[in-house]
Amino acid sequence: MSFIEQDKNVIAPLYGKADIEIVKGEGSYLIDSKGDKYLDFVAGIAVNALGHQNKAIKEAVMKQMDCFNHISNLYVNMPQVELGKKLLEITGFDKAFFCNSGTEANEGAIKFARKYFDRKGEANRQKIITFVNSFHGRTFAALSATGQPALREGFGNMPSDFVHVKWNDCAALKAEVNKDTCAIMLESLAAEGGVMTLSAEMVETINSLQKEFGVLVIVDEVQAGCGRLGTFLGFEKYGLNPDLVTLAKGIGGGLPLGGVLLRQKIADELKAGDHGTTFGGNPIACAAGLAVVNQVAEPALLQNVVDRAVQIRAALADIKAKYSFIKEIRGEGLIVGLALDESMPVGNVVAAARAEKLMVLSAKGNVLRMLPPLNISAAEVDEAMAKLAAAFAKVAG
């Protein structure tokens, strides 16, 4: 029985999976059971920031496994401390909290924000503003923060006091924020929601409201952080001043790892028992995370992101010029989107690209999304763009 048939017999039917049996990854490529190589411009949905079988990550994991796999957060965990020190050094934040995933990181940030005001005697400040089409995770509070109602259908009542305003709608945001607002929560780039970038006006509005009302700003860097926009954290490109930042995906290099970076004023209002996790900040995951961060923080790696982004957009401009159904090139760094009109379903392009041995994915609003490894080479980008051009030629007829 094939892997695909076994999967259907054993695994709950919650995902639409491609009919490919992946057996190995090497660098920017995945290899299937037939020996076919696919250029991986999905990267585990931005998880494999440094591709497959990165030497430093493998060595860090094996070294830690020779010590211990897990000890819980009842004891000092030096891989966790070392990763935290490195992140604080790079970002200028004051404290770190580690968990297992992006949705857990966002849950933590939401709880920390509300606890901050509660401890300051402002328990009325509960409302959190997020954005339409945003994606912050699938646990209940993170799902409430997510601006996609369809994802909440059928799950009953959600945690309250979340309000969603239209992306880049400054007037709508101003109308919602007041002295009872707890936080504004946003992605530095809304990737799953359609590869939407922040306008300069929205950044100015958020900074102004933060100053006027003392509202906290939570920036979700789960997909756009850890070097993907060409800066270590995505918000650096836009000039936001967040009080809390959430991380996951790429930071673990393929292992489950998430985190929250906090300003000191928020950490000062937290006490033992306010929040916790059994597996969060697992020593092996943190050892891998430190290996990732050490590489991503290197100027040469970040410059590669910038250079490859320019290269990809130039190639996409040539493709766009040939097809009227391609409306717009979107994104920053190595989160790249092509918005298509309704005459060309994005799923058709994803399937055609896969037939050309290129893996890409979609985003909300009929958008083609590409998330290559941050260390992708110029030659690999050329190869990928040739495959994508062939895919478009086939679907266009």
Side-chain angles (χ1 to χ4, degrees):
M1 186 181 292
S2 71
F3 293 166
I4 294 167
E5 291 170 328
Q6 291 180 61
D7 181 275
K8 289 177 180 177
N9 287 339
V10 174
I11 304 301
L14 296 172
Y15 306 98
K17 298 181 182 179
D19 291 339
I20 304 173
E21 297 182 356
I22 301 299
V23 297
K24 191 174 183 180
E26 293 179 348
S28 299
Y29 294 88
L30 286 169
I31 303 167
D32 70 11
S33 57
K34 300 175 183 177
D36 292 330
K37 292 181 69 173
Y38 296 77
L39 252 177
D40 185 6
F41 269 47
V42 176
I45 315 182
V47 167
N48 298 313
L50 299 171
H52 303 279
Q53 296 202 47
N54 178 267
K55 182 180 178 182
I57 296 174
K58 290 173 69 174
E59 289 177 350
V61 167
M62 293 304 297
K63 181 178 179 181
Q64 182 56 42
M65 288 183 72
D66 284 338
C67 298
F68 51 82
N69 291 358
H70 180 72
I71 56 173
S72 87
N73 287 300
L74 297 175
Y75 311 99
V76 173
N77 172 347
M78 281 311 296
Q80 192 180 106
V81 172
E82 292 300 323
L83 175 58
K85 285 166 59 179
K86 186 67 176 181
L87 285 169
L88 300 183
E89 173 191 324
I90 293 169
T91 66
F93 278 79
D94 301 300
K95 289 290 189 293
F97 166 81
F98 291 107
C99 51
N100 305 288
S101 66
T103 192
E104 290 179 62
N106 286 328
E107 290 269 338
I110 289 165
K111 290 176 72 175
F112 298 158
R114 287 181 170 171
K115 182 66 77 171
Y116 168 76
F117 283 116
D118 182 78
R119 287 266 160 77
K120 286 172 60 67
E122 299 179 73
N124 57 301
R125 298 187 73 149
Q126 297 287 311
K127 184 169 72 171
I128 294 177
I129 316 276
T130 68
F131 293 85
V132 173
N133 289 339
S134 60
F135 186 81
H136 297 293
R138 293 181 183 269
T139 51
F140 266 50
L143 190 56
S144 295
T146 292
Q148 300 186 41
L151 297 180
R152 296 192 290 274
E153 290 178 2
F155 295 117
N157 295 330
M158 294 280 150
S160 60
D161 293 316
F162 289 90
V163 176
H164 309 98
V165 301
K166 187 178 178 182
W167 186 260
N168 283 335
D169 189 334
C170 299
L173 182 61
K174 289 178 181 178
E176 290 291 347
V177 176
N178 54 46
K179 59 182 176 59
D180 291 326
T181 304
C182 173
I184 300 167
M185 183 175 187
L186 72 157
E187 297 153 280
S188 53
L189 187 151
E192 196 278 340
V195 192
M196 303 183 299
T197 52
L198 278 167
S199 69
E201 293 78 11
M202 179 55 79
V203 171
E204 183 179 349
T205 298
I206 292 170
N207 289 342
S208 175
L209 292 169
Q210 181 184 29
K211 184 176 181 180
E212 180 179 358
F213 294 104
V215 61
L216 298 180
V217 174
I218 304 170
V219 177
D220 177 340
E221 295 276 7
V222 169
Q223 190 159 154
C226 202
R228 188 150 288 277
L229 301 191
T231 50
F232 187 79
L233 293 177
F235 76 81
E236 298 172 42
K237 293 188 72 73
Y238 302 108
L240 290 167
N241 182 35
D243 302 283
L244 297 139
V245 161
T246 60
L247 294 164
K249 289 190 182 291
I251 195 173
L255 276 72
L257 182 63
V260 185
L261 303 180
L262 306 86
R263 301 295 184 192
Q264 190 64 48
K265 67 178 184 179
I266 298 169
D268 285 343
E269 301 299 336
L270 300 177
K271 298 178 181 178
D274 281 343
H275 191 49
T277 165
T278 297
F279 285 102
N282 171 273
I284 295 173
C286 285
L290 184 59
V292 171
V293 170
N294 282 337
Q295 293 175 79
V296 171
E298 286 293 324
L301 190 285
L302 293 174
Q303 186 60 49
N304 187 69
V305 173
V306 173
D307 293 344
R308 300 292 74 77
V310 171
Q311 183 183 358
I312 289 172
R313 280 162 179 75
L316 292 180
D318 290 341
I319 294 173
K320 179 179 181 294
K322 297 177 181 178
Y323 304 107
S324 60
F325 57 78
I326 302 178
K327 299 189 297 183
E328 183 184 9
I329 300 170
R330 296 181 180 175
E332 290 278 358
L334 292 182
I335 300 181
V336 186
L338 282 178
L340 311 178
D341 69 27
E342 295 179 357
S343 71
M344 180 55 65
V346 67
N348 293 0
V349 183
V350 172
R354 193 160 59 240
E356 296 294 328
K357 305 298 185 292
L358 171 67
M359 290 182 170
V360 293
L361 69 166
S362 63
K364 193 171 180 63
N366 207 40
V367 175
L368 184 73
R369 182 172 29 149
M370 288 167 275
L371 302 164
L374 307 185
N375 54 357
I376 191 86
S377 71
E380 288 167 341
V381 167
D382 284 341
E383 180 184 348
M385 293 301 97
K387 291 176 182 293
L388 186 63
F392 271 109
K394 285 186 177 180
V395 296

